[in-house]
Amino acid sequence: QEGELNVVKFTGNSYFSSSALQDAVSSLPSDLSFAHRIFRFYYRQLTINPYTPQPLEDALGVAVKNYEEEYRYFDQAGAENDVLTLTDVYNQFGFHDATVSYSYDFDTTDKVNVLTFSINENKQYTIDTVLYTGLESLPIDLLREIQALLPDVRGNFFNEPALKSTADAISNFLHNNGY
């Protein structure tokens, strides 16, 4: 299927807002500027009228053509990649059983092409244990300081960015102490 992509929707999402998910995907709807919509409207109206002077019709046609970069088109490979991206985003926040699919359809009511990402978030997993290995050979005073950097995450929802932040803090501490 091909065609201009007018609307991108997300269904089944409650943890992330639709705008947050839109920021994560590459599929974007056409975003026509006000000037583009005005030129397009008058161009369409004037091409219907057989008495429209040809130079005026040509000038409006050129004006509309100058805005072509504002159009976005459906890309199946891009949508499939966006499914993988959304699945990964959900995995990073503990939704390890999340499923994502897409459909691309023509909405006959609004007369627009709609790309819909359907999300089933399923269960959000919690953390039972986090093990930091390789630190046992450090001096005891450094181990105590590192222990102060470690938040108690037992029972918290899995959050990969937060875990990475803690690991980065440990790494920075070790680098700053000659390791």
Side-chain angles (χ1 to χ4, degrees):
Q1 287 177 310
E2 295 180 4
E4 181 185 354
L5 181 55
N6 305 105
V7 178
V8 176
K9 290 189 332 187
F10 301 88
T11 62
N13 55 306
S14 60
Y15 185 80
F16 293 105
S17 68
S18 291
S19 62
L21 295 176
Q22 181 64 69
D23 289 343
V25 299
S26 63
S27 298
L28 299 172
S30 290
D31 185 21
L32 305 184
S33 65
F34 181 71
H36 185 170
R37 287 181 279 157
I38 292 292
F39 282 133
R40 187 177 67 175
F41 171 79
Y42 282 110
Y43 179 71
R44 287 179 176 169
Q45 296 304 312
L46 292 175
T47 56
I48 295 170
N49 184 344
Y51 300 107
T52 299
Q54 193 60 47
L56 177 59
E57 186 177 324
D58 293 345
L60 280 172
V62 167
V64 169
K65 193 165 185 62
N66 287 335
Y67 288 99
E68 279 186 351
E69 74 278 354
E70 293 180 355
Y71 288 110
R72 304 285 186 272
Y73 296 94
F74 174 71
D75 173 30
Q76 182 175 353
E80 290 169 357
N81 190 50
D82 288 340
V83 165
L84 298 175
T85 298
L86 291 170
T87 302
D88 186 52
V89 166
Y90 272 94
N91 270 300
Q92 289 178 26
F93 288 89
F95 294 93
H96 302 304
D97 298 325
T99 58
V100 180
S101 61
Y102 78 90
S103 63
Y104 178 67
D105 300 299
F106 183 72
D107 181 336
T108 56
T109 304
D110 294 332
K111 302 210 182 321
V112 293
N113 292 317
V114 180
L115 174 60
T116 304
F117 290 99
S118 300
I119 299 161
N120 187 350
E121 293 178 343
N122 290 312
K123 173 185 171 186
Q124 187 178 18
Y125 285 82
T126 58
I127 297 172
D128 178 50
T129 306
V130 177
L131 297 175
Y132 297 94
T133 59
L135 302 175
E136 50 282 333
S137 63
L138 294 173
I140 195 75
D141 59 321
L142 285 180
L143 278 174
R144 286 190 186 118
E145 289 186 61
I146 289 174
Q147 287 294 330
L149 297 174
L150 304 178
D152 181 18
V153 294
R154 180 183 299 266
N156 291 356
F157 289 117
F158 181 84
N159 183 325
E160 187 176 321
L163 293 171
K164 181 165 179 359
S165 177
T166 300
D168 289 345
I170 294 169
S171 180
N172 287 337
F173 175 81
L174 290 171
H175 287 156
N176 290 335
N177 284 281
Y179 290 91

